[in-house]
Amino acid sequence: MASVPRRGVLKGLPLAAGAAIAGRATGAHADARSTARAATGTPFPQPATRTVRFRPRRLETRLTVGFTEQRLPGVGTVLTRTYDGSLPGPTLRVRPGDSLHVTHVNALPPNPAPAHHDLGMNVPHGFNTFNLHLHGMHVDPTGEADNVFRSFEPAGAPGRAATSWRSVVDIPLNHPAGTFWYHPHHHGSTATQLLNGLAGVIIVEGDIDAVPEVAAAKDIVVCINELKVSGGKVPDLSSEAVYDGIASTFLVNGAPNPTLTIAPGEVQRWRIVNAGALTTLYLTLDGLKAYQIAADGITFMKPAPVTAFQLPVGGRADLLVRGGEPGVHRLTAGGVSQPLMTLKVTGVPRTMSLPTRLPGRPTTLPEPTRRRSLIFRSYENVFPGDFPNAYRILGEGETPPTDPRAGRSDVQWGRFRPDYVNHRVRLGQVEEWTVTNDSRRHAHHPLHLHTNHFLVTEINHRPLATPVWHDTVGLPPHGSITFRLRAEDFTGRSMVHCHQSQHEDEGMMQIIEYVR
């Protein structure tokens, strides 16, 4: 079978187009100032940064989740759940070998009594309960680290003191340098909380930052949040269609369509993060010369020129962008009426170089010793009540029926169960997974794997000339993705799921257990 050329890889892949600051009052005020700058449209906003300052290398910080009013031009005042009053949350900057210590404060009000308590756990619920997921990070998925089975509950009654929880994450010495992000991952409340803007960027510094041409470029975070605003707030996901009639509001670093300046000939490094919950972004760089240098935190072997690319929910792309002739350009997303951001080329011309080689991860793995086949499938109107649709992962390892007497009817087929391990993956063993999307409607399914990256080798059974590393990849409607996986370093329970977060909250998720 003929291979896809490099340009085809970049167009076809969903994401590869081509002592510390302690976050107490001072940190929260810094975040609020960042949001204020975004609202006034003054210099291109950047989230507040928290980083390691002393030895031993440990970033110790606090993240408080509570309701905050945000003033957004063209939108109005919006009440949202935020980290430390900031939208997005602060950027955490670390290096391999560092330790990340986070105190989580849940200042949200108590959860109301569940409206659908008799329908099981795959109905959205617990909107004021959260936890921590380090999206794309190769860290321990158990204990107090990247453990999405934890629950950070709010106070049990109004007026009681906020609750607090602790996360301790040791970043391995072999961790890749790149762009990652953090967000809540409590089953049942993920979509609602992401649509409030509960997300922040993680930067792991390392070998790519020492490349002279990359080091010389201004390092810019472009965190794209997706909010569903109605009546001055983001409504909770209380029924299947609650967000259907609400247009998404897209913000870059907390601002609608902020303006960034660049000099002619200047090279900037953009770390673009799709930190939304529902929408894949089909991004176009209007008239700009841009080169992708990393996908999902994994560096390429050399820069790849891009003009347009697809960024699934949760995906990241690192770009080197060069300023051209003086003028105005825009970063747009297909189907979004307003530009995401504006780039103004102005000032004294500069001469800056682009790298020809990068310290990327090799794009080969040995032949697999095991193969698996999964199917992402959604069904319409199979349940009574407010949540009539069913979102499932079928095929090998599918969750069995909750009632064995019901047989294998689609209505009774099991969805996510926290007590059922769907896949056991041995460390060091190379596996090949083919994941098919055969949903008729609601067919937008970005696949996300926790703890380990995977190497995409085929799209719709067509081999890629250059495979690409990912942790999140969009499944083509009525098509498939094939990838190879070699799990490393960490044992314990982890996740594979759809990162269209409403589908995830309604059961399109499975458990992987990494074993020795």
Side-chain angles (χ1 to χ4, degrees):
M1 183 177 294
S3 64
V4 180
R6 177 68 181 182
R7 179 179 294 271
V9 174
L10 298 176
K11 288 186 177 179
L13 272 175
L15 178 62
I21 300 174
R24 299 183 180 92
T26 302
H29 292 163
D31 295 339
R33 287 194 297 270
S34 177
T35 303
R37 287 197 301 271
T40 59
T42 53
F44 188 79
Q46 286 289 276
T49 299
R50 301 179 183 176
T51 189
V52 174
R53 293 193 181 275
F54 305 110
R55 295 183 181 276
R57 290 193 57 89
R58 186 166 95 176
L59 198 171
E60 184 153 355
T61 192
R62 178 187 299 264
L63 291 173
T64 299
V65 174
F67 280 108
T68 306
E69 286 191 342
Q70 309 284 333
R71 294 179 180 85
L72 304 176
V75 179
T77 300
V78 181
L79 183 69
T80 68
R81 299 170 175 89
T82 60
Y83 288 114
D84 287 356
S86 173
L87 200 164
T91 296
L92 308 180
R93 188 176 280 265
V94 294
R95 295 183 64 88
D98 286 354
S99 183
L100 176 62
H101 293 233
V102 182
T103 299
H104 308 271
V105 179
N106 190 338
L108 293 168
N111 283 309
H116 307 281
H117 62 87
D118 57 336
L119 298 182
M121 69 173 308
N122 290 309
V123 171
H125 63 281
F127 302 115
N128 292 334
T129 300
F130 61 92
N131 56 25
L132 177 69
H133 175 43
L134 307 177
H135 188 118
M137 297 282 284
H138 181 60
V139 294
D140 191 343
T142 66
E144 292 185 332
D146 186 26
N147 184 350
V148 298
F149 296 93
R150 304 174 76 194
S151 297
F152 303 164
E153 301 285 357
R160 291 189 178 180
T163 59
S164 64
W165 309 78
R166 185 79 164 166
S167 290
V168 179
V169 183
D170 294 324
I171 302 169
L173 287 170
N174 64 348
H175 196 285
T179 305
F180 307 89
W181 66 299
Y182 63 92
H183 63 84
H185 204 294
H186 180 264
H187 185 58
S189 61
T190 303
T192 292
Q193 292 172 359
L194 279 173
L195 289 169
N196 275 258
L198 272 178
V201 176
I202 302 173
I203 294 174
V204 180
E205 300 174 340
D207 51 7
I208 187 174
D209 305 289
V211 175
E213 296 88 351
V214 176
K218 185 182 295 184
D219 196 334
I220 297 170
V221 168
V222 181
C223 183
I224 304 171
N225 292 106
E226 175 184 14
L227 274 63
K228 289 285 189 179
V229 179
S230 178
K233 65 178 183 178
V234 177
D236 295 339
L237 184 54
S238 57
S239 69
E240 185 80 47
V242 71
Y243 298 133
D244 287 356
I246 306 173
S248 293
T249 297
F250 291 95
L251 307 174
V252 171
N253 298 338
N257 188 21
T259 298
L260 175 65
T261 60
I262 188 172
E266 179 188 356
V267 175
Q268 296 180 349
R269 178 185 185 177
W270 295 6
R271 301 177 183 265
I272 305 179
V273 180
N274 184 350
L278 308 178
T279 304
T280 287
L281 299 173
Y282 299 88
L283 299 175
T284 299
L285 302 168
D286 170 25
L288 299 175
K289 289 187 176 180
Y291 305 83
Q292 188 168 357
I293 60 173
D296 287 356
I298 303 298
T299 303
F300 290 176
M301 301 298 287
K302 61 181 180 180
V306 294
T307 55
F309 57 98
Q310 181 180 340
L311 201 64
V313 176
R316 287 93 62 217
D318 282 32
L319 306 181
L320 294 179
V321 179
R322 189 197 292 275
E325 295 296 323
V328 176
H329 305 272
R330 292 170 179 84
L331 177 67
T332 60
V336 179
S337 59
Q338 178 177 292
L340 295 176
M341 59 182 280
T342 297
L343 183 68
K344 185 177 181 180
V345 182
T346 185
V348 178
R350 300 179 61 183
T351 301
M352 297 182 68
S353 301
L354 294 167
T356 57
R357 295 185 179 276
L358 297 167
R361 178 182 290 186
T363 56
T364 58
L365 280 175
E367 286 296 310
T369 58
R370 175 165 183 172
R371 289 177 169 84
R372 301 178 194 249
S373 295
L374 278 65
I375 302 169
F376 279 48
R377 181 180 296 163
S378 57
Y379 296 85
E380 296 250 329
N381 300 316
V382 294
F383 299 130
D386 291 328
F387 293 93
N389 300 337
Y391 303 97
R392 300 179 172 89
I393 302 177
L394 307 179
E396 182 173 348
E398 66 189 51
T399 307
T402 52
D403 181 0
R405 296 170 297 175
R408 293 177 61 86
S409 75
D410 290 335
V411 173
Q412 260 67 23
W413 238 343
R415 293 179 283 174
F416 171 68
R417 272 175 48 189
D419 63 341
Y420 186 81
V421 175
N422 302 87
H423 309 280
R424 285 186 170 86
V425 175
R426 294 186 180 277
L427 298 191
Q429 177 176 301
V430 177
E431 297 195 1
E432 183 172 85
W433 292 35
T434 298
V435 186
T436 301
N437 177 3
D438 72 352
S439 297
R440 295 179 182 177
R441 296 188 62 188
H442 298 289
H444 169 48
H445 300 312
L447 177 149
H448 174 47
L449 180 71
H450 290 207
T451 311
N452 293 281
H453 282 76
F454 51 86
L455 184 65
V456 177
T457 59
E458 297 180 12
I459 299 176
N460 295 331
H461 302 290
R462 297 181 63 198
L464 303 181
T466 305
V468 182
W469 290 98
H470 285 286
D471 58 58
T472 308
V473 65
L475 299 178
H478 314 296
S480 67
I481 291 286
T482 300
F483 63 80
R484 292 185 180 181
L485 167 67
R486 181 165 61 191
E488 302 280 5
D489 301 322
F490 300 107
T491 59
R493 294 193 307 163
S494 193
M495 294 284 194
V496 59
H497 64 88
C498 178
H499 215 290
Q500 204 279 23
S501 297
Q502 183 172 343
H503 299 173
E504 166 192 345
D505 282 339
E506 295 186 44
M508 196 171 249
M509 182 159 60
Q510 292 184 337
I511 292 177
I512 295 177
E513 184 177 19
Y514 298 116
V515 298
R516 294 198 179 277

